[in-house]
Amino acid sequence: MDTNVRPENMTRITTPELAKAFIDEQVEALRAQIGDKKVLLALSGGVDSSVVAALLIKAVGKQLVCVHVNHGLMRKGESEQVIKVFGESLGANLIYIDATDRFLDLLAGVSEPETKRKIIGGEFIKVFDEESAKLEGISFLAQGTIYPDILESKDGVKAHHNVGGLPEDVKFELVEPVKLLFKDEVRVVGEALGLPHNMVYRQPFPGPGLGVRCLGAITRDRLNALREADAILREEFDKNGLAGKVWQYFISVPDFKSVGVKDGVRYEGWPAIIRAVNTVDAMSATIEEIPYELLHKITDRITHEVPGINRVVYDLTPKPIGTIEWE
Ligand code: XMP
């Protein structure tokens, strides 16, 4: 039997009861597979790796070693949430690595989008490898592979390796407890495991993170401005009931300035571009009709609260012809 094929009669996990049955079954299977050995997991804070971490903590507790690499391109509060949820609440064996300087130093002056993606992906593997080499007695590598990943790699669709996509020649045996599940099922299982709702239902976020939204060569001041503006957009979407409704929403900041006026003097700043799209499969996307009142509120907050930003614009371009990301 090919263990990478979802059996036709497998019930879709849609309720807490079905999730609980899946969890019980997996906990037993994981204990049988792992025994008293140690498992390593790259925990990004994304839905899939978070659910795998929570499952493994339930099954083998401290035999799981989670490594969270902060590449400096996370959204505001994300690494903090990983530490709080896994390190503190769930008592995981968590290694936190702040590799911000390594990534930003390598990215300095690099403006070509594909080169930026490659640097981020390559450095991620390097940092993770260095950390795992320091650990002793690891026998297994856990991964948040889900069923669409298996289907896409069979079709040869997946062109780019994500950050968190690890090298092919791994020396560990793989542990992939959610590999036959679809995304909606992973979320139901995550909630049943007690993970925070905002973690389980978070919008898609690219592996290279804010690196694809800080357009051109990344600088620390512009990256900070982007992170703060993005946090304001997310907060306003949360408060106004759009967070659970809109598929993906974020800010991009290009690397040019325009003239403005602040406190009666000339003020040169970057524009913050709002993107808010709806889609089923990210192949095409439509634009969310954000109420004008809310757009004014967001504009007012970003231009007053975020140093370096002096304009806010709303991108009305559907995909096609625009891609979802600006890079
Ligand atoms: P585009 O910009 O191609 O994006 O319309 C489609 C979806 O893919 C996400 N995206 C990425 N995800 N690594 C990722 O993991 C990447 O390099 C990357 N680039 C784009 C994007 O956020 C959108 O959801």
Side-chain angles (χ1 to χ4, degrees), residues 43-44 72 77 91 153 180 224 317:
L43 178 59
S44 66
S153 61
L180 296 183
N224 283 338
T317 320

PDB file of all heavy atoms in Angstrom, residues 43-44 72 77 91 153 180 224 317:
ATOM      1  N   LEU A  43       9.875  24.555  13.442  1.00  0.00           N
ATOM      2  CA  LEU A  43       8.562  25.120  13.774  1.00  0.00           C
ATOM      3  C   LEU A  43       8.508  26.576  13.326  1.00  0.00           C
ATOM      4  O   LEU A  43       9.092  27.453  13.946  1.00  0.00           O
ATOM      5  CB  LEU A  43       8.369  25.013  15.297  1.00  0.00           C
ATOM      6  CG  LEU A  43       7.101  25.580  15.899  1.00  0.00           C
ATOM      7  CD1 LEU A  43       5.860  24.927  15.305  1.00  0.00           C
ATOM      8  CD2 LEU A  43       7.107  25.397  17.418  1.00  0.00           C
ATOM      9  N   SER A  44       7.775  26.819  12.225  1.00  0.00           N
ATOM     10  CA  SER A  44       7.739  28.177  11.683  1.00  0.00           C
ATOM     11  C   SER A  44       6.668  29.031  12.350  1.00  0.00           C
ATOM     12  O   SER A  44       6.730  30.249  12.316  1.00  0.00           O
ATOM     13  CB  SER A  44       7.455  28.119  10.181  1.00  0.00           C
ATOM     14  OG  SER A  44       6.136  27.624   9.967  1.00  0.00           O
ATOM     15  N   GLY A  72      13.959  37.212  10.806  1.00  0.00           N
ATOM     16  CA  GLY A  72      13.881  38.672  10.814  1.00  0.00           C
ATOM     17  C   GLY A  72      12.835  39.192   9.852  1.00  0.00           C
ATOM     18  O   GLY A  72      12.671  40.405   9.694  1.00  0.00           O
ATOM     19  N   GLY A  77       4.920  40.199  16.105  1.00  0.00           N
ATOM     20  CA  GLY A  77       4.365  39.326  17.141  1.00  0.00           C
ATOM     21  C   GLY A  77       4.399  37.837  16.846  1.00  0.00           C
ATOM     22  O   GLY A  77       4.031  37.039  17.709  1.00  0.00           O
ATOM     23  N   GLY A  91       4.752  23.833  27.107  1.00  0.00           N
ATOM     24  CA  GLY A  91       5.964  23.299  27.745  1.00  0.00           C
ATOM     25  C   GLY A  91       6.869  22.521  26.795  1.00  0.00           C
ATOM     26  O   GLY A  91       7.516  21.557  27.188  1.00  0.00           O
ATOM     27  N   SER A 153       3.528  17.806  -5.600  1.00  0.00           N
ATOM     28  CA  SER A 153       4.866  17.352  -5.985  1.00  0.00           C
ATOM     29  C   SER A 153       4.764  16.184  -6.970  1.00  0.00           C
ATOM     30  O   SER A 153       5.625  16.023  -7.820  1.00  0.00           O
ATOM     31  CB  SER A 153       5.726  17.015  -4.766  1.00  0.00           C
ATOM     32  OG  SER A 153       5.139  15.981  -4.041  1.00  0.00           O
ATOM     33  N   LEU A 180      -1.824  13.090   5.067  1.00  0.00           N
ATOM     34  CA  LEU A 180      -2.988  12.712   4.259  1.00  0.00           C
ATOM     35  C   LEU A 180      -4.161  13.681   4.448  1.00  0.00           C
ATOM     36  O   LEU A 180      -5.255  13.465   3.932  1.00  0.00           O
ATOM     37  CB  LEU A 180      -3.439  11.285   4.603  1.00  0.00           C
ATOM     38  CG  LEU A 180      -2.416  10.190   4.284  1.00  0.00           C
ATOM     39  CD1 LEU A 180      -2.992   8.816   4.593  1.00  0.00           C
ATOM     40  CD2 LEU A 180      -1.955  10.251   2.818  1.00  0.00           C
ATOM     41  N   ASN A 224      11.043  47.672   9.105  1.00  0.00           N
ATOM     42  CA  ASN A 224      10.303  47.989  10.331  1.00  0.00           C
ATOM     43  C   ASN A 224       9.023  48.741  10.031  1.00  0.00           C
ATOM     44  O   ASN A 224       7.972  48.479  10.622  1.00  0.00           O
ATOM     45  CB  ASN A 224      11.167  48.832  11.288  1.00  0.00           C
ATOM     46  CG  ASN A 224      12.188  47.962  11.984  1.00  0.00           C
ATOM     47  OD1 ASN A 224      12.009  46.741  12.078  1.00  0.00           O
ATOM     48  ND2 ASN A 224      13.264  48.576  12.446  1.00  0.00           N
ATOM     49  N   THR A 317      -5.862  45.848  -8.407  1.00  0.00           N
ATOM     50  CA  THR A 317      -5.588  44.963  -9.540  1.00  0.00           C
ATOM     51  C   THR A 317      -5.883  43.504  -9.217  1.00  0.00           C
ATOM     52  O   THR A 317      -5.289  42.933  -8.300  1.00  0.00           O
ATOM     53  CB  THR A 317      -4.091  45.063  -9.919  1.00  0.00           C
ATOM     54  OG1 THR A 317      -3.679  46.418  -9.824  1.00  0.00           O
ATOM     55  CG2 THR A 317      -3.853  44.506 -11.300  1.00  0.00           C
TER      56      THR A 317
END
